[in-house]
């Protein structure tokens, strides 16, 4: 029987066993995962997988799933991937009783769109392992639940598994997501391997498992702010980054933003990428200007770009260590250096060691994981030495939140400061994003126009720019530069062709800015000027994430190893009006290394939506500013005091500062 898109969504798990599916030959396949389960555990994994299906299919599916487990290290249930095209359709095309639920379906589809997702067949959106679901059965069931739910139910999701619809209220979130929540003692990388293979947990990364990924645009803005300010740190005032080099690695899900950000910041960007498919994808999408395959041509082209003071981005298909070492020999000065390989998963394809081909590495990591680990650590030591040689000549190097310094230090690389506690190099949060943005509440606010109409996006860009322009006139000097950068960003956003997948936009803004922009959108929706809009943010933000080597690396009161802020955030957002909330273990820097959360909210033009957005966005940003100010961060103290003046019902505990001389001779 032929079924249309809506009927297929509504049916959930099909009534008849669908035919077995051939894996598309050109797909960018997820790395083969570790074969970590014992025979007994494998049986448990199959038993777990089969509970989604009627008994009469078990025999045939058991063999098939056992095969998937043996070949891929995971059970994706590929046979159940639906035949319809998965992409963010206009909101009204989704079969739903609740508009909020339809908006969530749209966002799930965006995360699994072939043009957006890194390994769509395996339900991985980005970061090598950032999963929306563990398998296609979970996808089918979730979409079915969303199509059935009313505004008085909440869907609770455990690491991709839809536990079910529970009665709630119109003011409750429609979906509550947790990903990778573990008992702390079971939160080591191999625990993820094991419990993910068993089918009971998943790595949601940040916006993958929370349905809020909007393609690399999401990260371009933050990366632009970072690169621009890195150059501001080292160049004499008035000098531009044109003709100056930014060297980095990775053209994957997030790292693919680097060349685009480099172009916007106006420098020469050189970005190494070992996976030719990933490099070509970014080149074809226009995210990087040139593709170069051999190192001699790279040297020649870079010298030319320097001579002509060019603004250009170059993808080098090869290992980044090769460039660091070769540029040293050639005496090519690197002004700014960083790295965005996926070192949060160093042993499973996140970092490819120098001296081994891409294919050889892929073989070694699954066949001889211990040997592969040694190669990775050798390479990290080499990598760090080459960087040290450049920084000795004046290169400014910073860690880009990918656990480079952490893993290099674990590999015994010469990367520690003389005090043997700190790293030799700062993280981009410590030096740039923390003090300039997060402590003032600036973070990656984003929105998606659910009509799918590019004109709606143009209108929202204009609305957001008008709001910021009105605000900047009376803004205090401490945040004027940030606001001006953000105005330039939104002014040029369309020109920079950032949209991949849904009609989405990112814009760094503070609490006041986010709230005013969202409120202005809601008014425009009420006036019929634009369709409904989903607002949200990256987890990489002021309040949503506790991550001692990244988002909260500029917290110096010892509390950076706690995760209270992220937990308060998700709970606080959930009863202030979020349409969905999520909290994840892992994401960015690695499993067990971070707690991060986020939200999504549908603006439908109603007065209730205006109440919700104001209440929730206020808390969503000021929670983190309060914590950062309690940690004595000067910028956050400024911001929270300013907020208390504006909002009399906000009362935050302010720290008393201690004179150094009192502490000096105590111990
Ligand atoms: N700073 C930030 O704002 C920020 C934001 C998002 C992600 N991150 C971190 O950056 C990392 C990358 O994220 P992603 O989503 O792009 O991951 P990804 O896995 O999609 O991309 C990383 C890419 O690096 C390539 N690579 C690995 N080793 C290499 C090597 N030695 N030389 C050249 N290329 C190599 C891989 O082939 C891969 O394509 C992650 O650890 C992530 O947590 C940082």
């Amino acid at each position: 029987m032929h079924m249309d898109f809506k009927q297929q969504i509504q049916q959930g798990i099909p009534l008849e066993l669908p035919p077995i599916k051939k894996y598309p030959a050109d797909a960018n396949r997820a790395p083969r995962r570790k074969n970590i389960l014992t025979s007994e555990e494998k049986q448990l994994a199959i038993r777990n997988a089969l509970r989604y299906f009627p008994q009469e299919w078990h025999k045939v599916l058991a063999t098939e799933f056992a095969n998937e487990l043996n070949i891929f290290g995971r059970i994706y249930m590929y046979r159940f991937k639906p035949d319809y095209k998965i992409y963010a359709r206009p909101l009204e095309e989704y079969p739903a009783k609740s508009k909020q639920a339809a908006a969530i379906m749209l966002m799930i589809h965006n995360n699994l769109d072939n043009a957006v997702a890194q390994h769509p067949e395996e339900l991985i959106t980005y970061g090598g392992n950032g999963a929306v679901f563990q398998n296609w059965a979970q996808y089918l069931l979730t979409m079915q639940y969303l199509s059935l739910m009313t505004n008085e139910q909440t869907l609770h999701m455990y690491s991709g598994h839809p536990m079910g619809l529970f009665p709630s209220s119109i003011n409750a979130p429609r979906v509550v997501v947790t990903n990778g929540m573990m008992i702390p003692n079971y939160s080591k990388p191999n625990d993820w391997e094991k419990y993910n293979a068993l089918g009971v947990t998943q790595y949601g990364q940040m916006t993958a498992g929370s349905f809020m990924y909007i393609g690399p645009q999401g990260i371009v803005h933050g990366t632009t702010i970072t690169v621009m300010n890195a150059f501001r740190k080292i160049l004499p005032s008035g000098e531009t980054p044109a003709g100056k080099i930014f060297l980095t690695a990775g053209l994957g899900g997030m790292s693919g933003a680097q060349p685009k950000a480099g172009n916007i910041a106006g420098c020469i960007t050189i970005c190494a990428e070992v996976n030719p498919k990933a490099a070509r994808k970014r080149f074809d999408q226009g995210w990087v200007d040139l593709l170069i395959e051999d190192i001699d041509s790279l040297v020649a082209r870079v010298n030319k770009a320097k001579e002509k003071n060019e603004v250009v981005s170059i993808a080098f298909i090869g290992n980044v260590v090769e460039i660091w070492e070769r540029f040293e020999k050639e005496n090519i000065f690197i002004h700014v250096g960083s790295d965005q390989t996926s070192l949060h998963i160093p042993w499973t394809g996140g970092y490819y060691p120098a001296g081994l081909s891409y294919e050889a590495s892929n073989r070694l990591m699954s066949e001889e994981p211990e040997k592969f680990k040694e190669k990775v650590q050798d390479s990290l030591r080499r990598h760090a030495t080459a960087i040290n040689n450049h920084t000795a000549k004046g290169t400014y190097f910073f860690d880009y939140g990918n656990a480079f310094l952490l893993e290099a230090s674990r590999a015994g690389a010469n990367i520690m400061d003389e005090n043997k506690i700190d790293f030799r190099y700062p993280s981009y949060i410590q030096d740039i994003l923390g003090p300039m943005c997060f402590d003032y509440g600036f973070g990656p606010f984003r929105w998606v126009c659910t009509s799918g109409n590019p004109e709606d996006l143009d209108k929202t860009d204009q609305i957001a720019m008008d709001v910021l322009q009105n605000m900047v006139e009376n803004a205090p000097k401490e945040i004027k530069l940030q606001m001006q950068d953000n105005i330039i960003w939104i002014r040029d956003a369309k020109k920079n062709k950032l949209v991949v997948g849904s009609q989405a936009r990112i814009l760094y803004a503070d609490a006041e800015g986010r709230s005013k922009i969202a409120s202005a959108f809601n008014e425009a929706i009420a006036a019929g000027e634009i369709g409904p809009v989903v607002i949200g943010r990256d987890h990489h933000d002021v309040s949503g994430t506790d991550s001692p080597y990244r988002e909260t690396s500029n917290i110096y009161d010892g509390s950076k190893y706690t995760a209270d802020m992220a937990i308060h955030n998700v709970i606080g957002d959930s009863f202030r009006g979020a349409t969905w909330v999520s909290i994840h273990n892992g994401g960015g820097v690695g499993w067990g290394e971070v707690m991060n959360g986020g939200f999504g909210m549908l603006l439908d033009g109603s007065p209730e939506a205006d109440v919700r957005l104001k209440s929730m966005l206020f808390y969503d940003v000021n929670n983190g500013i309060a914590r950062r100010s309690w940690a004595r961060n000067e910028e956050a103290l400024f911001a929270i005091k300013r907020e208390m003046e504006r909002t009399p019902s906000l009362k935050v505990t302010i720290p008393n500062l201690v004179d150094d001389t009192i502490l000096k001779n105590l111990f």
Side-chain angles (χ1 to χ4, degrees), residues 350-661:
Y351 180 89
Y352 284 79
L356 265 189
S357 73
Y358 181 63
E359 294 73 22
S361 291
N362 283 336
R363 261 196 313 277
L364 199 64
M365 82 181 73
S366 72
E367 285 165 16
E368 293 179 80
E370 280 311 309
K371 200 160 173 200
F372 181 71
K373 190 172 168 180
E374 277 170 33
K375 293 271 180 207
V376 166
Q377 295 203 320
D378 284 347
S379 178
L380 280 170
R381 287 190 291 272
R382 236 173 100 177
H383 198 154
T385 303
I387 290 169
N388 292 343
N389 293 343
H390 281 275
T391 56
K393 296 186 217 165
T395 298
Y396 172 60
F397 182 86
F398 62 91
D399 183 283
Y400 222 147
N402 62 338
F404 174 79
L405 292 175
L406 182 66
E407 285 307 331
S409 70
R410 286 174 179 165
N414 179 8
I415 214 87
M416 299 309 288
D417 188 65
E418 279 168 12
N419 69 12
K420 296 199 167 58
I421 301 168
D422 300 318
F423 295 125
R424 204 183 243 246
Y425 304 111
S427 85
Y428 70 118
I429 301 278
Q430 285 175 302
D431 255 24
I432 300 169
L433 272 192
M436 288 197 65
C437 293
F438 290 170
D439 287 353
Y440 288 118
F442 287 94
F445 180 61
R446 58 181 54 173
W447 63 90
V448 169
C449 298
T450 65
S451 63
N453 184 351
E455 282 171 20
D456 275 14
L457 187 60
D458 294 347
K459 287 181 194 157
T460 53
D461 284 350
Q462 186 63 47
I463 293 170
M465 191 165 90
D466 292 346
V467 168
L468 292 189
Q469 266 168 340
N470 280 335
M471 282 174 61
V472 77
E473 283 166 26
N474 300 317
K477 64 176 188 331
E478 285 81 354
I479 58 171
K480 256 205 160 92
L481 181 67
Q482 293 88 323
M483 294 193 70
Q484 279 156 355
D485 284 347
N486 296 337
I487 289 170
I488 293 172
W489 164 265
I490 194 73
R491 184 196 69 196
D492 294 346
K494 185 184 166 94
K495 192 178 81 196
N496 285 322
K497 295 203 185 81
L498 298 156
V499 171
V500 176
S502 63
Q503 293 298 319
R505 184 66 74 221
I506 172 144
L507 174 62
Y508 267 61
D510 63 0
E512 190 185 2
R514 299 185 209 201
S515 188
K516 285 190 167 156
I517 292 167
S519 196
F521 288 170
N522 202 46
E523 275 172 32
I525 298 161
E529 291 159 21
I530 53 173
V533 171
V534 167
I535 59 168
R537 57 165 175 74
D538 192 2
H539 293 196
H540 175 262
D541 196 8
V542 181
S543 317
T545 295
D546 277 299
S547 179
Y549 297 100
R550 207 165 88 175
E551 284 78 355
T552 39
S553 57
N554 73 323
I555 300 281
Y556 302 104
D557 69 349
S559 73
K560 69 176 167 184
Y561 299 102
T562 65
D564 295 304
M565 177 177 75
I567 300 299
H568 275 277
N569 217 66
V570 72
I571 297 173
D573 283 0
S574 76
F575 64 78
R576 287 183 172 87
T579 307
W580 73 100
V581 287
S582 62
I583 183 84
H584 302 183
N585 166 22
V589 285
W591 183 253
E593 309 278 2
V594 48
M595 288 291 164
N596 62 93
F599 75 90
M601 181 186 276
L602 178 70
L603 303 181
D604 57 6
S606 64
E608 294 80 14
D610 197 58
V611 172
R612 284 197 291 265
L613 76 87
K614 284 181 176 143
S615 163
M616 202 217 72
L617 289 173
F618 182 90
Y619 178 75
D620 186 61
V621 182
N622 281 303
N623 166 41
I625 301 180
R627 187 271 178 111
R628 289 164 186 274
S629 76
W630 182 240
R632 295 180 284 264
N633 289 14
E634 207 180 303
E635 294 80 3
L637 276 164
F638 168 86
I640 207 70
K641 284 179 185 164
R642 184 166 168 252
E643 190 64 77
M644 284 197 279
E645 276 168 28
R646 212 171 25 217
T647 314
S649 57
L650 175 71
K651 303 255 178 267
V652 169
T653 316
I654 299 295
N656 292 296
L657 304 182
V658 180
D659 190 330
D660 283 352
T661 53

Side-chain angles (χ1 to χ4, degrees), residues 152-281:
E152 294 193 331
Q153 285 171 307
T154 295
L155 176 64
H156 285 262
M157 298 187 60
Y158 287 34
S159 283
H161 171 70
M163 197 54 80
L165 291 176
F166 289 76
S168 61
S169 79
I170 192 157
N171 294 320
R174 296 281 70 77
V175 175
V176 171
V177 172
T178 57
N179 278 306
M181 286 295 122
M182 299 298 288
I183 300 300
N185 268 344
Y186 298 83
S187 203
K188 293 276 181 289
N190 265 347
D191 294 316
W192 168 68
E193 296 278 2
K194 176 171 166 182
Y195 296 102
N196 187 224
L198 281 176
V200 295
T201 193
Q202 73 175 3
Y203 200 110
Q205 276 284 3
M206 297 194 140
T207 51
S210 63
F211 327 139
M212 196 39 81
Y213 186 68
I214 57 167
Q217 175 189 179
I219 204 71
V220 177
H221 190 17
T223 312
T224 305
I225 292 173
T226 307
V227 177
M228 212 156 59
N229 285 301
F231 277 106
R232 276 181 189 149
K233 274 180 106 64
I234 58 160
L235 295 181
S237 89
E239 204 170 311
T240 74
K244 304 188 174 70
I245 294 177
F246 167 44
L247 171 61
T248 183
L251 282 171
M254 291 288 174
S255 45
Q258 295 177 106
K260 191 117 201 168
N263 281 4
I264 299 171
C267 60
I268 303 171
T269 307
I270 305 157
C271 197
E273 171 55 65
V274 285
N275 179 351
K277 271 200 181 123
R280 293 225 164 81
K281 183 170 173 181

